[in-house]
Amino acid sequence: MAKTTSKTNSNTAKIHDQSLHIGKGGELHQFAEDGFSTLTTAQGAPVADDQNTLRVGPRGPALIEDFHFREKIFHFDHERIPERVVHARGYGAHGFFETYESLAAYTRADIFQRPGEKTPAFVRFSTVAGSKGSFDLARDVRGFAVKMYTKEGNWDLVGNNIPVFFIQDAIKFPDIVHSVKPEPDRGFPQAQSAHDNFWDFISLTPESMHMIMWVMSDRAIPRSFRFMEGFGVHTFRFVNAKDQSTFVKFHWKPKLGLQSVAWNEAVKINGADPDFHRRDLWQSIQSGSYPEWELCVQLFDQDFADNFDFDILDPTKIIPEEVLPVQAIGRLVLDRMPDNFFAETEQVAFMTQNVPPGIDFSNDPLLQGRNFSYLDTQLKRLGGPNFTHLPINAPKCPFAHFQQDGHMAMHNPVGRVNYQPNSHNDGPRETPVEGYRHFPAEEQGSKVRMRAESFADHYSQARQFYISQTPPEQRHIAMALTFELSKVEIPVIRERMVSHLLNIDETLATTVAQKLGLKGMPGPAAAAIPTRQDLQPSPALSIVERGPQRFEGRKLGILVTDGVDTKLLKGLTQAVQNEKAVVEIVAPKVGGVTASDGSWVEAHHMIDGGPSVLFDAVAILSSQQAIDDLMKEATARDFVTDAFQHCKFIGYDQSALPLLEKAGVADAFDEGVVALPGEDGLSAFVSQLGKLRVWGREPSIKLGKASS
Ligand code: HDE
């Protein structure tokens, strides 16, 4: 009996990649069946039975001498390493960075010397607050961490998708993070800032107001990692071969433009597909549609820094692109998924202090604190000092040093000499000219715990961000603030926040106060420096102003039924593919439908599993015979109402009209609800989809009464 079971299971093992379990250079054992390698213990002993523990008789106690069982369970028990204390949920991909032109005038960094040079790169995107198993569409900052394996060592640009931060001094980091994480007594809420502790801390921390405007904007609910910007946040230095320094701020700009989702949509995506962002990255890379960003820089000298409105060391401030334009210096392409999520995405160790010669730090107090924190965190998380031996963290250029031993040492020196200087004429030596030289910035001052006066303006750029947004984006900020504060149970916190908003924009403050049902309007918060009214709007801060105007890289969901017009379906699919976008078919049954010419159309989703929130635009192609049944499906009606409510384009053919009526949409038609033209007009329809949303619909959304 036991024998039969064993055989069945060893057959299923065939699907596993056996190479992972075979030691390097190890010979395969000869006794496995044809085509299989031999299952062994980690010590290499062949295993005869992997289905039953060793016991005394078939119904007796287990034996401690069962070394195979003990080793297997021991290893399983230790599979987890501590998740990152922040940015725990992340997803990574490999690619390369390509340099556009030589930047030798500004930096001696080897990566920027030769046009066309390609440098291998690994990127990890993440949310900040949620734990590893949380959902992708939390309202949150996204990490945008890039490791570039340059010929002079790894350069980690550990950035976010928002160019400023909540706090000005690293000593406040544990406080802000504690406040946003689940509250310690109750252990919730997970991956949410909508709770008392977070808003209590924020409302007592005026320096966070600029960042709060960004986090309450649609930037915090991106449609995809592929459609978001990245920022180095701090001011860094480029240093050239003559030891001259130029200040630099780094920006990643997505080739496909910026795009976010609506809040109501985000909430529904989290239920429909909690892995929405990682699936998106996986699918686009696997299908050969490689995401791309340009690396842009803002370069400036001490003179500019001295004359700029704010302190360039203050990480709660930006330099608007309209004041100091960005210039593109290279591109990043992601073209390969990791072979193993744990080995690469989980074990990758980013550190702000990983900089090659030619790139240096400024005195930004947050950056200085980070340079301490990241090394420390890797020791805790990866369990020892040899995490640089892991392939994902090891440099790809030659390296040589005298560090040795410790947990899990993989690169072990050979020979007698493990120190220098030595008289054996052996081992690596310093290279004073080529080696990393820190920029010799002159520093002086008393030892103090003190924030610079030049960091004291907390509202002017918050206001500038707000007034740079289009009306729908401003509306979303007000809605987000209202939602978040509505989850705050202590009224005084809500009031305190409104008093800060009064220093940012009065209309915003009164709108939020009204929507919250505040009894009276508080006075404005005391401001160390009054809000400047003269800062001009910066269109670069708006997602809508920088919208892509094309559907490339997006997804059309087509809801079909039996009898769907074959020509129309094929024509629409082709028009979308011509735009380098993707079509997914949604049908009453996942098996598919029979089209008008009798052909079989396979579906990607059944309606319940493919709600319209998963798509950038939708079309409904039905048939006279099938529409009545479709109208009875609550999920089909939701498909339409949600798409309409989320301001998406909806294409339909005549037979689908009754569904639109039933969903209450038909009496609210606008330019985004489009009766599909004949085949000739389909590419015009698809290029219209490039506008992505009909935000003008939003204020007037009044759905007709949907009945079932
Ligand atoms: Fe981080 N941050 N951080 N951070 N951070 C970490 O390092 C820290 C800050 C950022 O995908 C940790 O490996 C301090 C700003 C990203 O693996 C930790 C301060 C920005 C990632 C840490 C900051 C970031 C991290 C946790 C205040 C944007 C994920 C695990 C001074 C510019 C990297 C780890 C990845 C991760 C510390 C603030 C970005 C604890 C002390 C500002 C993208 O070391």
Side-chain angles (χ1 to χ4, degrees):
M1 186 66 190
K3 231 179 174 179
T4 326
T5 324
S6 167
K7 183 117 182 188
T8 319
N9 281 289
S10 74
N11 279 341
T12 56
K14 205 172 192 174
I15 57 169
H16 295 295
D17 178 1
Q18 298 292 333
S19 62
L20 284 175
H21 308 292
I22 299 167
K24 240 190 184 169
E27 290 297 310
L28 292 190
H29 292 277
Q30 295 304 310
F31 11 87
E33 290 173 60
D34 279 354
F36 293 106
S37 58
T38 296
L39 179 70
T40 70
T41 64
Q43 303 287 349
V47 171
D49 183 342
D50 192 38
Q51 319 305 323
N52 302 290
T53 44
L54 187 66
R55 57 179 77 96
V56 183
R59 301 179 60 248
L63 292 172
I64 207 164
E65 74 178 67
D66 186 351
F67 58 83
H68 168 51
F69 165 74
R70 285 190 57 211
E71 179 199 82
K72 185 174 175 182
I73 292 295
F74 143 82
H75 199 277
F76 171 76
D77 290 344
H78 295 265
E79 273 178 8
R80 293 290 170 272
I81 59 174
E83 68 172 32
R84 288 164 174 82
V85 69
V86 281
H87 297 265
R89 181 168 178 82
Y91 207 56
H94 293 274
F96 62 86
F97 176 78
E98 184 176 351
T99 304
Y100 283 164
E101 57 192 302
S102 167
L103 293 180
Y106 299 106
T107 173
R108 57 182 280 228
D110 182 76
I111 186 174
F112 293 126
Q113 303 305 303
R114 296 165 296 278
E117 165 125 355
K118 287 188 177 169
T119 303
F122 184 80
V123 178
R124 185 174 178 274
F125 301 107
S126 48
T127 51
V128 178
S131 64
K132 213 179 140 204
S134 56
F135 39 82
D136 277 351
L137 256 293
R139 175 175 292 284
D140 200 353
V141 191
R142 297 301 183 288
F144 193 128
V146 186
K147 190 183 278 293
M148 285 164 277
Y149 303 90
T150 89
K151 289 182 176 147
E152 285 187 340
N154 292 349
W155 176 27
D156 292 357
L157 190 50
V158 198
N160 279 346
N161 75 330
I162 289 180
V164 287
F165 203 62
F166 293 103
I167 47 172
Q168 294 175 323
D169 190 310
I171 201 169
K172 297 309 295 168
F173 193 61
D175 298 290
I176 171 81
V177 173
H178 287 174
S179 82
V180 74
K181 288 270 183 183
E183 300 192 5
D185 54 352
R186 59 210 67 186
F188 62 84
Q190 177 58 244
Q192 312 232 15
S193 50
H195 60 113
D196 286 76
N197 281 8
F198 177 72
W199 287 102
D200 186 27
F201 178 82
I202 292 296
S203 64
L204 294 169
T205 310
E207 70 205 56
S208 66
M209 289 307 142
H210 186 195
M211 177 77 166
I212 280 298
M213 286 295 109
W214 286 80
V215 178
M216 293 299 112
S217 81
D218 295 345
R219 298 262 178 173
I221 39 174
R223 153 69 176 84
S224 155
F225 298 136
R226 299 178 294 134
F227 309 145
M228 61 185 205
E229 288 181 311
F231 302 92
V233 176
H234 317 282
T235 297
F236 290 84
R237 287 177 189 275
F238 272 161
V239 183
N240 68 14
K242 293 181 197 151
D243 281 339
Q244 293 160 329
S245 147
T246 306
F247 290 120
V248 54
K249 279 192 169 265
F250 295 104
H251 305 239
W252 296 104
K253 302 261 180 198
K255 190 178 156 208
L256 294 175
L258 299 177
Q259 187 186 337
S260 286
V261 300
W263 173 243
N264 180 276
E265 194 182 1
V267 170
K268 290 172 178 166
I269 290 172
N270 284 331
D273 185 3
D275 304 306
F276 189 66
H277 282 155
R278 45 176 74 184
R279 192 186 307 280
D280 173 272
L281 192 64
W282 169 270
Q283 286 181 340
S284 68
I285 292 180
Q286 299 299 55
S287 68
S289 159
Y290 302 136
E292 194 173 321
W293 288 260
E294 277 195 314
L295 178 60
C296 300
V297 288
Q298 288 177 302
L299 297 173
F300 56 99
D301 57 15
Q302 190 64 52
D303 234 28
F304 176 94
D306 293 341
N307 291 307
F308 180 57
D309 293 327
F310 302 98
D311 197 324
I312 57 109
L313 299 182
D314 176 353
T316 67
K317 305 296 186 299
I318 58 161
I319 305 176
E321 292 182 26
E322 291 77 6
V323 174
L324 183 63
V326 299
Q327 62 187 83
I329 61 171
R331 68 183 186 124
L332 170 74
V333 178
L334 298 183
D335 58 4
R336 183 165 63 86
M337 292 310 298
D339 293 325
N340 181 280
F341 179 85
F342 179 82
E344 296 159 77
T345 309
E346 194 58 13
Q347 293 198 120
V348 65
F350 291 98
M351 304 202 291
T352 48
Q353 59 269 53
N354 285 353
V355 284
I359 297 177
D360 208 328
F361 312 113
S362 71
N363 285 348
D364 176 336
L366 213 55
L367 178 59
Q368 300 271 321
R370 293 179 75 197
N371 285 344
F372 170 77
S373 173
Y374 287 70
L375 180 60
D376 200 36
T377 210
Q378 306 314 346
L379 181 66
K380 172 72 186 166
R381 218 166 56 76
L382 296 166
N386 289 319
F387 60 86
T388 55
H389 297 199
L390 297 169
I392 192 69
N393 295 324
K396 295 193 193 297
C397 61
F399 54 93
H401 50 73
F402 295 107
Q403 294 162 25
Q404 67 170 29
D405 301 352
H407 285 292
M408 313 289 169
M410 301 286 179
H411 310 143
N412 297 307
V414 285
R416 185 175 183 187
V417 179
N418 57 356
Y419 58 94
Q420 68 109 349
N422 66 66
S423 51
H424 294 275
N425 221 3
D426 202 358
R429 289 285 188 274
E430 299 137 304
T431 46
V433 177
E434 293 83 26
Y436 191 97
R437 293 192 306 274
H438 291 266
F439 178 68
E442 303 257 330
E443 306 291 356
Q444 60 171 1
S446 342
K447 212 190 273 179
V448 289
R449 288 186 187 274
M450 194 186 264
R451 199 78 57 92
E453 199 52 41
S454 51
F455 280 37
D457 181 341
H458 302 318
Y459 298 106
S460 299
Q461 281 206 344
R463 173 180 172 76
Q464 185 177 32
F465 178 80
Y466 181 73
I467 62 172
S468 302
Q469 307 300 307
T470 57
E473 292 171 300
Q474 290 190 339
R475 208 160 46 230
H476 297 169
I477 293 174
M479 281 157 53
L481 280 162
T482 310
F483 172 83
E484 296 266 322
L485 294 173
S486 77
K487 299 283 179 187
V488 167
E489 292 163 5
I490 303 168
V492 71
I493 299 177
R494 291 186 210 139
E495 281 165 31
R496 225 189 277 141
M497 266 318 296
V498 171
S499 72
H500 288 297
L501 297 181
L502 277 167
N503 287 340
I504 297 172
D505 183 88
E506 206 176 320
T507 317
L508 174 64
T510 45
T511 310
V512 173
Q514 273 166 14
K515 284 180 183 295
L516 285 172
L518 236 61
K519 294 230 168 63
M521 198 65 182
I529 296 202
T531 315
R532 286 177 56 165
Q533 306 292 320
D534 60 327
L535 299 181
Q536 295 305 304
S538 159
L541 301 180
S542 155
I543 296 178
V544 171
E545 285 280 350
R546 291 279 166 114
Q549 299 298 323
R550 53 189 213 282
F551 203 57
E552 182 180 348
R554 272 72 181 178
K555 210 181 252 185
L556 178 73
I558 310 184
L559 176 57
V560 297
T561 61
D562 281 333
V564 56
D565 182 335
T566 313
K567 269 188 162 175
L568 192 57
L569 180 59
K570 280 195 174 151
L572 184 55
T573 305
Q574 192 56 55
V576 170
Q577 285 166 353
N578 291 347
E579 199 75 5
K580 298 193 189 140
V582 175
V583 159
E584 282 185 2
I585 303 289
V586 183
K589 292 178 186 159
V590 74
V593 294
T594 310
S596 59
D597 66 350
S599 63
W600 186 250
V601 179
E602 278 188 20
H604 298 89
H605 312 269
M606 70 181 287
I607 308 176
D608 309 51
S612 60
V613 293
L614 301 183
F615 311 108
D616 298 290
V618 298
I620 300 123
L621 307 183
S622 183
S623 66
Q624 301 289 353
Q625 314 89 285
I627 192 67
D628 285 348
D629 281 345
L630 192 62
M631 279 158 55
K632 285 184 199 136
E633 298 274 354
T635 45
R637 299 195 302 271
D638 287 350
F639 189 90
V640 176
T641 6
D642 274 349
F644 187 78
Q645 195 199 156
H646 301 143
C647 300
K648 290 178 183 168
F649 282 86
I650 303 174
Y652 66 97
D653 69 354
Q654 277 312 312
S655 56
L657 195 55
L659 177 64
L660 271 60
E661 280 163 0
K662 192 85 173 173
V665 163
D667 52 357
F669 274 13
D670 55 29
E671 82 270 22
V673 185
V674 185
L676 285 174
E679 271 173 274
D680 297 344
L682 287 174
S683 50
F685 169 68
V686 174
S687 69
Q688 202 181 350
L689 299 184
K691 291 185 196 147
L692 299 176
R693 302 284 168 130
V694 190
W695 289 123
R697 180 190 296 160
E698 202 176 36
S700 60
I701 288 178
K702 283 197 183 64
L703 297 175
K705 202 168 153 249
S707 53
S708 42

